[in-house]
Amino acid sequence: MPFVTVHFGGGVQNKRPWLFAAVWTALFLAGAGPAYEKISVSVKISAPAHVIVMDMSPAMNGETLEAAKRKLYDLLGALKGHQAGLVVYDDKGYVVSPLTQDLNIIRTMIPGLETNVMPTYGNRADLGFEKAAELFNNVGVKDGQIIFLTAGGFDADKLTAATQKLPYDIAVIGLGSDEA
């Protein structure tokens, strides 16, 4: 009978098919090579964009800093539906939050804003504005607004030079008192 198969045990039978599958998969993945790389993706959001530049210099003492934080909460409430970012500065500019429409991200960071956690001491508002411009440029915003929260004491000439070349609207909110 030609359709009957008889096995006499003389041949090698593969008793581990999972091992073959595992080796084949490992070789396949090794041949594929690494598939990760950093890709820069440009993101455009149509909502109005604002970057808040906040003074964290030594001029922002206890009561002034608390007033700035309250004002920051108020601003975020008024910017509902917009995108916003937060930059702080002392002797350098630091991005706290890039532009986002989820303003709760910025709200959660406000309690941690303290002058004593800043790595340097100074009052370079111009460098804060440069960081704000970087945030706008990173997402292609051409007509944003910079909201400047300050207690003063910065170099007005440097700030003027930095802001003259920026295409953004600037709103200034002064904090503190007239007393020295």
Side-chain angles (χ1 to χ4, degrees):
M1 294 193 230
F3 51 87
V4 175
T5 304
V6 178
H7 179 68
F8 291 103
V12 177
Q13 187 177 15
N14 189 356
K15 295 182 180 181
R16 295 187 185 130
W18 60 268
L19 181 61
F20 173 75
V23 170
W24 184 85
T25 302
L27 289 173
F28 177 77
L29 292 175
Y36 58 89
E37 62 183 68
K38 186 175 180 179
I39 299 173
S40 179
V41 177
S42 175
V43 177
K44 286 197 174 192
I45 302 173
S46 61
H50 310 270
V51 173
I52 301 164
V53 176
M54 186 170 166
D55 183 352
M56 293 298 286
S57 71
M60 285 293 233
N61 56 25
E63 186 60 36
T64 307
L65 181 59
E66 292 308 311
K69 289 179 181 183
R70 288 191 301 273
K71 182 53 73 177
L72 191 51
Y73 282 117
D74 293 344
L75 283 169
L76 293 174
L79 296 176
K80 185 177 181 182
H82 294 211
Q83 58 179 330
L86 178 60
V87 169
V88 297
Y89 71 90
D90 56 6
D91 196 44
K92 296 180 180 176
Y94 304 94
V95 175
V96 175
S97 172
L99 286 168
T100 179
Q101 285 188 293
D102 185 0
L103 302 183
N104 286 325
I105 292 172
I106 300 173
R107 280 187 188 93
T108 62
M109 296 180 185
I110 295 173
L113 295 175
E114 298 290 336
T115 55
N116 62 352
V117 298
M118 298 302 288
T120 58
Y121 292 100
N123 202 336
R124 294 289 306 272
D126 56 309
L127 299 179
F129 275 75
E130 286 180 14
K131 283 290 182 188
E134 284 179 28
L135 289 182
F136 285 134
N137 290 334
N138 288 345
V139 294
V141 172
K142 304 272 190 254
D143 59 348
Q145 180 186 39
I146 297 174
I147 302 170
F148 183 35
L149 292 173
T150 182
F154 51 83
D155 186 329
D157 292 333
K158 287 182 180 177
L159 183 59
T160 301
T163 58
Q164 283 181 340
K165 58 186 174 185
L166 297 177
Y168 312 111
D169 293 334
I170 299 171
V172 180
I173 300 173
L175 303 160
S177 67
D178 293 334
E179 298 176 18

